[in-house]
Amino acid sequence: MTDNRQKHIDKVRKLLSMAQHNASNENEAATALRQAESLMRRYDIAHSELEASKLKADDMMRGDTNESRNSLWVWYLAWAAANVTDTKPTKRQGLVQFVGVTEDVQIALMFFDYLTNVVERLAKNYAGTRSERNAFKMGAVMGIGGSARQIQQERREAFAQANTTGTDLVEAKGALIESTFNLRYSKAKRVNVSSLTSYRAGLAAGKKVSLTSQIGGTSRSAIR
């Protein structure tokens, strides 16, 4: 980002702040808002760019989980946790990590821990061989992942309704995280299971797992 563009973004942010804090004076608020909108149109500044530009390297972190299993269902579960917390999953020294804004990462770590325990418990209660339970786990994770993507989509739609300018803030934040941590992702691997019956049973169980009551928790005990 050029210095001039950053200056324009800072100017727009200040004007929007003035409009908000001068709400008691309608004329001043309206003037500040018109000036901000004029600058955004002139320099093609998106609302999401204003928000994303606030983030700095110091606002972000890497968070380690204790998960070192190199299983596809574990990785897909990490993506489910990432999708509902605006973070990105990655691996370092064999451990699953989450990267992003500090508060989001802290929630993602707890959320991933919660989901892992749920899938393990569901699989333990499922009667079958080890191979069948693994198929059940994958199905459960896919069910959870579907719910996570739905929550993510609903968040994007809510953002679009509340903000008529700019692109999606979720997308902007994701791109910024990938750039900051130099992340590269390949296409998702095809899921192969040994038992379609067990997979379907897991899928049904995973769809029943509640996610919304867990999002936004601030302590480990609160999401168990």
Side-chain angles (χ1 to χ4, degrees), residues 58-61 85-87 100-110 173 216-218:
D58 290 343
D59 298 323
M60 299 189 184
M61 67 170 287
T85 56
D86 291 343
T87 60
V101 179
T102 299
E103 182 179 346
D104 293 341
V105 169
Q106 292 170 345
I107 295 174
L109 291 171
M110 294 185 290
K173 183 189 287 187
T218 56

Side-chain angles (χ1 to χ4, degrees), residues 34-54:
R34 284 197 299 270
Q35 290 177 348
E37 290 177 341
S38 176
L39 283 174
M40 291 176 73
R41 288 194 300 271
R42 184 184 306 172
Y43 297 106
D44 193 26
I45 297 173
H47 184 277
S48 56
E49 190 173 2
L50 293 174
E51 295 298 319
S53 67
K54 295 179 183 178

Side-chain angles (χ1 to χ4, degrees), residues 124-165:
K124 183 178 180 180
N125 294 333
Y126 180 73
T129 64
R130 179 178 180 181
S131 179
E132 288 170 337
R133 285 197 298 273
N134 286 335
F136 178 92
K137 285 182 180 179
M138 181 56 73
V141 169
M142 297 302 284
I144 291 171
S147 299
R149 288 189 296 274
Q150 181 177 353
I151 291 172
Q152 185 184 51
Q153 182 61 33
E154 289 173 354
R155 179 184 298 149
R156 291 176 176 177
E157 290 174 355
F159 176 85
Q161 292 175 2
N163 301 275
T164 57
T165 60

Side-chain angles (χ1 to χ4, degrees), residues 1 5 19 27 59 66-67 70 97-98 105 112 125 137 140 145 147 155 159 161 171 176 193 201 208 210 213 218:
M1 183 182 298
R5 185 167 184 79
N27 289 333
D59 298 323
N66 294 320
E67 185 57 71
N70 190 28
Q97 291 185 328
F98 291 94
V105 169
F112 177 70
N125 294 333
K137 285 182 180 179
S147 299
R155 179 184 298 149
F159 176 85
Q161 292 175 2
E171 294 289 350
L176 183 63
V193 295
K208 295 178 181 178
S210 174
S213 61
T218 56

